[in-house]
Amino acid sequence: MRLALALIISYAAFQITPILLMILSGLLPDMYAMIISLILAMLISAIPSSILLKNSNISFLPPLIGGSISLLIPILLSSIQAISLDLFSQYLQPHYMIYHVIIVVMASGLSIALSRMYPKPIVEGVEEVKVEEEVRAEEIPKKEERPPERVEEKIARVEEPKPELIKCPHCGQQIPSDSIFCPLCGERVRREE
């Protein structure tokens, strides 16, 4: 679920790049407007991905996939002539595509770096255990809280008499002396009194 949300955010961040570019191109020269809009898209894509996916093994995927799809959709739509080439002419220029690819790769790297820096939450009673290159959370068993044992109970436990043992005449094993039948072989040892 988090991966899907990060993918949507990354795709949306790179989709708003043309809108940002149009807004900024009125204020700045075209090259600066393009670079600033792509850097903003990179930050909007990388930061949520690193927060949502704290696992650095996959945190690079949303910026990479979202940024690539946002670049490929206008190319595909213009190649099958589903949209007017004039709408995306500025975004289909080779220099824009090169900058876009560079920013997508940088967003992926930034996402990995941020997810490694982001501290893992500490949950009380849960400990990470490394098992064959896989980390999983395990519950730490809590020690049972017992009331302190009384001295009388300790003495009674220590002084309990141990039953005497005798040798079974049939199997030869040690058995309690008060046994009528051998608990091991089942033969009668003595008569009931």
Side-chain angles (χ1 to χ4, degrees), residues 50-64:
S50 65
I51 292 172
L52 288 171
L53 305 170
K54 291 177 183 71
N55 182 353
S56 63
N57 295 334
I58 62 170
S59 63
F60 72 95
L61 285 176
L64 186 66

Side-chain angles (χ1 to χ4, degrees), residues 20-182:
L20 286 171
L21 185 55
M22 282 191 292
I23 294 170
L24 293 174
S25 64
L27 305 171
L28 301 168
D30 287 340
M31 183 60 82
Y32 294 130
M34 178 180 57
I35 292 172
I36 290 172
S37 63
L38 285 171
I39 288 174
L40 286 173
M42 174 186 70
L43 294 174
I44 293 170
S45 174
I47 293 172
S49 295
S50 65
I51 292 172
L52 288 171
L53 305 170
K54 291 177 183 71
N55 182 353
S56 63
N57 295 334
I58 62 170
S59 63
F60 72 95
L61 285 176
L64 186 66
I65 294 171
S68 300
I69 290 173
S70 71
L71 182 63
L72 292 176
I73 286 178
I75 293 171
L76 291 174
L77 290 177
S78 64
S79 67
I80 60 172
Q81 297 176 349
I83 58 171
S84 172
L85 202 55
D86 294 337
L87 279 174
F88 288 100
S89 63
Q90 185 176 2
Y91 313 111
L92 297 176
Q93 298 297 324
H95 69 279
Y96 176 80
M97 287 186 199
I98 291 170
Y99 285 126
H100 189 95
V101 169
I102 291 170
I103 292 295
V104 166
V105 171
M106 287 175 61
S108 296
L110 180 63
S111 181
I112 290 171
L114 289 175
S115 68
R116 287 186 180 165
M117 289 176 16
Y118 201 82
K120 294 183 180 181
I122 298 172
V123 180
E124 205 168 300
V126 174
E127 166 181 299
E128 283 188 354
V129 179
K130 190 160 186 154
V131 179
E132 296 177 17
E133 300 300 321
E134 177 184 317
V135 178
R136 66 171 193 249
E138 287 187 359
E139 287 290 325
I140 300 172
K142 292 203 175 200
K143 295 179 183 173
E144 290 184 22
E145 298 290 330
R146 289 192 226 164
E149 202 172 3
R150 286 195 233 153
V151 175
E152 295 88 19
E153 291 173 356
K154 283 184 181 178
I155 293 172
R157 209 173 19 148
V158 170
E159 292 180 359
E160 284 181 9
K162 305 249 184 210
E164 288 185 34
L165 299 176
I166 59 169
K167 192 175 189 179
C168 173
H170 302 285
C171 66
Q173 298 294 323
Q174 296 287 327
I175 61 171
S177 61
D178 58 347
S179 299
I180 296 172
F181 292 95
C182 176

